[in-house]
């Protein structure tokens, strides 16, 4: 009895389904195409998306950078009481280390962006992963510039170091660390990104400490044309890595 029922149901289903209607299929395809085109017209531009990121992500990045600045100020206060009490020969070394640490504040957010690929946001905005990562770098860079400006102002105000020297020992290590971060972002697997950044940070700090111990003349320089050329090379290298990042994560 059950077998007969199954046979009748199968027969009825076969009879109810006729040949595909080419006209209806064409109408369906056209409707889907129009719907897709309508959605693509609503695509958010990079500028609009960046403004939204300021609210949802930029504030978090800037908050972390502000926390780092406060922690550095507290460590300095409880260790020396004032920046004036620090050995003036150690100020350039201190500025180099601060610059590297400032760059590292972007690492947790960039790692999260790579780890989860920001698929939800990408689907909503139809933007490539490269542009999304670029927005994180831009927001982090704006915060870094603000923090570096404050450190520069406070250093020049509180120590005997020249403005030219302060620019040199803040800018060159910052660009060096930023260029290294962009390189890792474009060439290292996401699961190894944090470890690579931590290793790079440790190597740079050890190099600065070794230079201060064995080659103190390194920290007796002022910003010059030669150092400006080095900064331009680091900027060009970082820009090249950013272009590579956009190509790597373009969808």
């Amino acid at each position: 009895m059950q077998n007969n029922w199954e046979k009748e149901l199968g027969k009825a289903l076969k009879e109810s389904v006729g040949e595909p209607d080419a006209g209806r299929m064409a109408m369906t395809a056209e409707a889907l195409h129009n719907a897709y085109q309508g959605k693509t017209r609503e695509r958010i531009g990079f500028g609009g998306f960046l403004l939204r990121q300021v609210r949802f992500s930029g504030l978090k990045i800037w908050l972390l950078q502000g926390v780092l600045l406060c922690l550095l100020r507290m460590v300095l206060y409880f260790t020396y009481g004032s920046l004036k009490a620090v050995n003036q020969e150690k100020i350039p070394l201190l500025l180099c280390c601060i610059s590297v640490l400032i760059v590292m504040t972007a690492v947790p957010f960039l790692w999260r962006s790579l780890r989860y690929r920001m698929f939800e946001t990408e689907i909503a905005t139809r933007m490539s992963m490269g542009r999304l990562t670029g927005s994180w770098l831009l927001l982090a860079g704006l915060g870094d510039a603000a923090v570096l400006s404050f450190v520069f102002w406070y250093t020049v105000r509180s120590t005997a170091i020249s403005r030219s020297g302060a620019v040199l020992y803040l800018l060159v290590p910052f660009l060096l660390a930023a260029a290294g971060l962009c390189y890792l972002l474009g060439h290292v697997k996401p699961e190894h990104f944090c470890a690579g950044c931590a290793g790079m940070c440790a190597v740079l700090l050890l190099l600065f400490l070794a230079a201060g111990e064995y080659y103190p003349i390194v920290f007796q320089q002022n910003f010059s044309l030669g150092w400006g050329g080095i900064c331009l090379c680091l900027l060009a290298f970082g820009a090249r890595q950013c272009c590579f990042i956009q190509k790597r994560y373009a969808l």
Side-chain angles (χ1 to χ4, degrees):
M1 188 72 173
Q2 184 177 0
N3 292 336
N4 293 335
W5 178 80
E6 291 178 352
K7 291 180 180 180
E8 292 178 2
L9 179 60
K11 183 179 179 181
L13 289 172
K14 290 180 181 179
E15 291 177 353
S16 62
V17 179
E19 292 295 326
D21 191 336
R24 290 182 178 275
M25 291 178 64
M27 291 175 60
T28 303
E30 184 180 358
L32 290 173
H33 178 74
N34 292 336
Y36 176 77
Q37 291 295 329
K39 288 184 178 181
T40 56
R41 294 190 192 102
E42 299 172 359
R43 177 175 179 169
I44 300 174
F46 183 74
F49 174 76
L50 186 62
L51 291 176
R52 295 189 181 188
Q53 285 291 87
V54 169
R55 177 182 177 186
F56 295 106
S57 304
L59 295 179
K60 296 178 183 178
I61 299 175
W62 297 338
L63 178 61
L64 178 60
Q65 292 168 334
V67 169
L68 174 65
L69 187 62
C70 292
L71 288 175
L72 291 173
R73 181 68 182 88
M74 290 174 60
V75 170
L76 181 65
Y77 176 79
F78 287 112
T79 304
Y80 298 101
S82 172
L83 194 60
K84 297 179 180 179
V86 181
N87 185 345
Q88 297 303 297
E89 296 180 356
K90 300 295 184 182
I91 295 297
L93 173 61
L94 182 61
L95 293 179
C96 290
C97 295
I98 290 175
S99 294
V100 174
L101 293 177
I102 290 173
V103 174
M104 292 299 108
T105 56
V107 172
F109 301 97
L110 291 172
W111 175 82
R112 180 185 178 279
S113 175
L114 293 177
R115 182 70 177 82
Y116 299 105
R117 305 276 300 184
M118 296 180 70
F119 280 143
E120 299 85 353
T121 307
E122 188 160 353
I123 291 172
T125 60
R126 299 174 189 83
M127 296 185 68
S128 69
M129 182 62 188
R131 281 191 165 189
L132 292 170
T133 306
S135 69
W136 283 89
L137 288 172
L138 182 56
L139 292 174
L142 292 174
D144 289 343
V147 174
L148 286 173
S149 298
F150 177 83
V151 173
F152 170 79
W153 170 81
Y154 186 73
T155 302
V156 172
R157 174 176 172 270
S158 305
T159 69
I161 191 172
S162 64
R163 289 181 173 84
S164 176
V167 169
L168 172 63
Y169 295 112
L170 283 173
L171 187 59
V172 172
F174 175 81
L175 293 177
L176 182 61
L181 184 146
C182 290
Y183 176 84
L184 293 174
L185 190 61
H187 294 82
V188 174
K189 293 182 179 180
E191 55 268 25
H192 300 149
F193 177 68
C194 281
C197 289
M200 180 191 70
C201 178
V203 168
L204 288 176
L205 294 179
L206 288 175
L207 285 175
F208 295 147
L209 291 173
E213 184 69 24
Y214 300 105
Y215 302 98
I217 193 173
V218 173
F219 295 110
Q220 298 173 8
Q221 308 290 317
N222 284 312
F223 197 84
S224 62
L225 188 61
W227 286 112
I230 292 175
C231 290
L232 289 176
C233 291
L234 291 173
L235 280 171
F237 179 80
R240 181 180 177 85
Q241 297 308 307
C242 288
C243 293
F244 181 83
I245 290 168
Q246 290 213 1
K247 292 180 180 178
R248 178 183 180 183
Y249 295 109
L251 295 178

